[in-house]
Amino acid sequence: MKEHKVIQSIFVISFTLAIVGYTLTQSLFRDTETSDTSQFVVGTLDMDLTARNGSVAESISVTNFGSPNSLEGGKTWKITNVGSLPGELSMSVVNLVNNENGCNEPEALVDVTCENPGTDQGELGVVITAKVLLDDGVHPDPVIVTTLGPGSQDNFALQWLTNAGTVSLPAGDSVEVQLTWSSDASSFENGIQSDSIIFDVVFDLEQVPV
Amino acid sequence: MLFSKIKQAARLLLATAVILLFSQVTDADLLDREEVTANIVRATTLDFSNRDTANETGKSLFFSVQGLIPTGFQVESVRIKNEGELAVSYELSATQTAGDTDFCNALQLRVMSDWQTEYSGSLLGLSFDATVLEGQKGDLVFVVSLDDTSNSLTNDTCAFNIRVASKQVAGGAVVRFSDEEILQNQVTAGTWSTGG
């Protein structure tokens, strides 16, 4: 019984000392400053696609392939990182279609697929070699060399990854990407008459992983 | 039992979190995409046809002459119609396909364009070039005749083709597309006798 009282006394004394101690050691002076201009701003990732001279980027449009002086050409696009974050550029081709567009008499003599439009029956793409050149000062040779035949669109993304790798584009910087096409005159005859290829070129600028 | 299930779920959650962390699948990287759409490369066309000058129906059978005698002649015509997108530069030539060679060599041919004589000479020596622009047509008139009066030619026959073929080089440039049309002919000599 006596021991209980001693313990009780110790608790009471401790509690009392704690209250007193807290009160006595509390700082009486206080100052508060508020930094009300602090802000979190999310960076921007934005690219601008134009022609080499800054005008609106144009699509490739060749409708007389096979006529004199029509067997080669090219288009150059300028990609500028107009955002505030650095990015990594990549290029691919999607929606590549080789159309047959029917056959006229000379083509019908050598071609057994003459549907209209005849998706992926066309023979034009396989006689055209496309090259992609990058003027970043690092890749002097074409980073992509492929035909434009059916199923060849995957070559663009794969060869970009293999040959160009990571193409860094810091904020404010530009890079020119040139897509050329050419064909050896001896590589085709009537089988490609009226055939066409249609495709989309895609540029992706992805944020550099932090 | 419940505690065991909770522990299992926790382990699964932990493992998933670790996988996602290292695969960066949940990375919220920013991405911008620009596309140059509807790029097109289309091949042009080269095509022409031989047509009847009266009604523009297709024409492949040309001269069919029976009993041709010296000083005799026959006239035929054909319309070369450009059905493609390229101008067609073509050339004419004639080759014997059957019959008597002497008689074929004896036959004479005249080709007129716009009523102007463009070729006049032996049948098998035919050589004539012309161009038909896109969307245009050209009319040719042919006259086959026999001047040779040799008795050895009587009752002879000459079968020949007049070949209308696009040229492989036009304006100094190689043309990879081609077309050709054939006009089939047969001429049979009559009988005659020369004095002597």
Side-chain angles (χ1 to χ4, degrees), chain B residues 130-147:
Chain B
T131 298
V132 184
L133 299 177
E134 177 192 352
Q136 303 292 309
K137 38 195 151 186
D139 295 336
L140 299 175
V141 176
F142 292 72
V143 181
V144 66
S145 61
L146 179 66
D147 298 333

Side-chain angles (χ1 to χ4, degrees), chain B residues 118-182:
Chain B
E118 302 291 346
Y119 174 81
S120 182
S122 67
L123 167 70
L124 298 182
L126 172 62
S127 177
F128 168 65
D129 295 356
T131 298
V132 184
L133 299 177
E134 177 192 352
Q136 303 292 309
K137 38 195 151 186
D139 295 336
L140 299 175
V141 176
F142 292 72
V143 181
V144 66
S145 61
L146 179 66
D147 298 333
D148 196 327
T149 59
S150 304
N151 282 330
S152 61
L153 300 178
T154 58
N155 291 320
D156 280 351
T157 294
C158 177
F160 61 96
N161 285 342
I162 294 176
R163 180 173 175 260
V164 187
S166 62
K167 298 174 70 172
Q168 296 295 299
V169 177
V174 175
V175 182
R176 294 300 304 172
F177 297 147
S178 61
D179 192 12
E180 73 169 45
E181 303 291 341
I182 300 292

Side-chain angles (χ1 to χ4, degrees), chain A residues 45-47 59-63 65 67 105-106 124 185 188-190 192-205 207, chain B residues 24 27-48 85-86 173-174 176-179 181:
Chain A
L45 190 78
D46 187 15
M47 72 172 150
S59 301
I60 295 167
S61 180
V62 179
T63 56
F65 186 89
S67 61
E105 185 202 19
L124 176 60
F188 64 88
E189 291 181 342
N190 288 336
I192 68 163
Q193 286 209 44
S194 77
D195 294 4
S196 65
I197 50 173
I198 302 171
F199 58 95
D200 299 335
V201 176
V202 177
F203 294 102
D204 282 333
L205 188 65
Q207 180 187 357
Chain B
Q24 298 189 332
D27 262 2
D29 287 343
L30 302 178
L31 175 74
D32 188 20
R33 169 169 287 189
E34 297 286 345
E35 296 185 15
V36 184
T37 59
N39 298 280
I40 182 168
V41 180
R42 181 183 175 279
T44 187
T45 59
L46 185 147
D47 186 17
F48 69 90
E85 297 163 354
L86 289 172
V174 175
R176 294 300 304 172
F177 297 147
S178 61
D179 192 12
E181 303 291 341

